[in-house]
Amino acid sequence: MVVLRRWTTSLPALSALVSAGLWHATRTDERRDVATEVLGLFLGLGVAVYAIGILPGDVLVRQYLLQSDGGAVRTFARWANYGGRVHVLLPAAIVLFWLSSVARRNWRVWCAVLIGSSLIQHAFKFLVGRSRPSGSSLGFPSGHTTAAATFAIVLVYIASREQLSRAQRVILDALGVSLMLAVGWARIMRHAHWPSDVLGGFLLGIGCAAAAAWWASSHAEAAAESQRVGDPEAPRQMMPTTSQS
């Protein structure tokens, strides 16, 4: 039961990581540290899955969640599953670029991370080589969850850089985190992934999005510093003068 409690609380803990304000950090080195630590956790989890296979708690958590696999739950899981598909995330990204000047300013970065995280998860599926609960196709990490987590954290970061009210930021944060968690839950409920596949997707998506946020922030600060130094209207530092008697 201790293992079960740890696994069932690990996914909400990721949402707490976001809502605690870690993604609203003002220093680029903080975002770099987040990206490094989360991607390190992903690599560690991948090594464990490769070495062990089905991890302790995978079966217990899956059985615990599937106990509530009724008609209404199954219907909701089917709809939530769409949140990790390109048919939903691509239009959502287009709307985000249309509405947000911050998103448009670094649209190449966000497109690169949304596509790149998908390519990385495909590569890790072959490297780790663990099958899904049903069927023989490879499952670690979950592609749907990786895509949803990447988009969710990009949304949270962009919202933190826009001139929005606190209530608007909270709504967007909750929307992004809810999307991420709902997709991960749906992948388990639809017998598509082990819980550790979903956890791996969360870590990979969050880590990739944090790395993109770090890159965007560092380049924005460098550009601002360059503009400040090269601005002829900037106040000049007066050199001290000495009077000669």
Side-chain angles (χ1 to χ4, degrees):
M1 294 302 295
V2 174
V3 174
L4 179 60
R5 284 196 297 269
R6 288 178 179 176
W7 275 89
T8 53
T9 56
S10 61
L11 302 186
L14 288 172
S15 63
L17 182 71
V18 177
S19 60
L22 190 56
W23 301 101
H24 298 171
T26 57
R27 297 189 305 175
T28 56
D29 57 347
E30 293 176 348
R31 298 189 181 96
R32 179 197 59 202
D33 293 342
V34 169
T36 303
E37 292 169 4
V38 174
L39 290 176
L41 289 173
F42 168 74
L43 290 175
L45 180 62
V47 170
V49 171
Y50 176 81
I52 300 174
I54 300 175
L55 298 183
D58 265 330
V59 175
L60 287 176
V61 173
R62 183 170 179 267
Q63 290 177 346
Y64 175 78
L65 292 176
L66 292 178
Q67 288 177 357
S68 59
D69 190 14
V73 172
R74 192 173 303 173
T75 300
F76 180 74
R78 185 176 71 250
W79 284 103
N81 185 66
Y82 286 106
R85 301 182 65 176
V86 67
H87 309 79
V88 171
L89 294 178
L90 179 59
I94 293 174
V95 171
L96 181 61
F97 293 145
W98 177 45
L99 294 177
S100 171
S101 60
V102 174
R104 291 193 300 272
R105 193 176 305 141
N106 291 297
W107 68 270
R108 293 179 181 85
V109 178
W110 310 129
C111 289
V113 73
L114 290 171
I115 297 172
S117 61
S118 177
L119 297 177
I120 293 172
Q121 64 88 14
H122 277 295
F124 267 89
K125 277 185 168 68
F126 288 99
L127 289 174
V128 175
R130 186 178 70 173
S131 299
R132 301 170 186 249
S134 301
S136 58
S137 58
L138 304 177
F140 181 90
S142 165
H144 282 65
T145 309
T146 300
T150 305
F151 179 81
I153 302 307
V154 167
L155 175 64
V156 169
Y157 171 77
I158 290 174
S160 72
R161 309 292 286 184
E162 286 282 2
Q163 295 182 352
L164 302 174
S165 67
R166 180 178 179 83
Q168 290 172 324
R169 287 197 181 97
V170 169
I171 291 173
L172 289 175
D173 289 358
L175 180 63
V177 173
S178 298
L179 169 70
M180 180 175 68
L181 295 177
V183 170
W185 169 82
R187 298 306 287 164
I188 299 173
M189 298 301 294
R190 291 179 62 80
H191 306 270
H193 286 286
W194 296 105
S196 55
D197 295 339
V198 171
L199 181 58
F202 284 148
L203 293 174
L204 178 58
I206 291 173
C208 289
W214 166 50
W215 191 95
S217 299
S218 61
H219 279 69
E221 290 181 2
E225 178 66 17
S226 176
Q227 183 178 8
R228 186 188 66 81
V229 172
D231 187 359
E233 299 298 327
R236 299 179 180 178
Q237 183 178 2
M238 300 297 295
M239 297 296 294
T241 58
T242 57
S243 60
Q244 297 180 354
S245 57

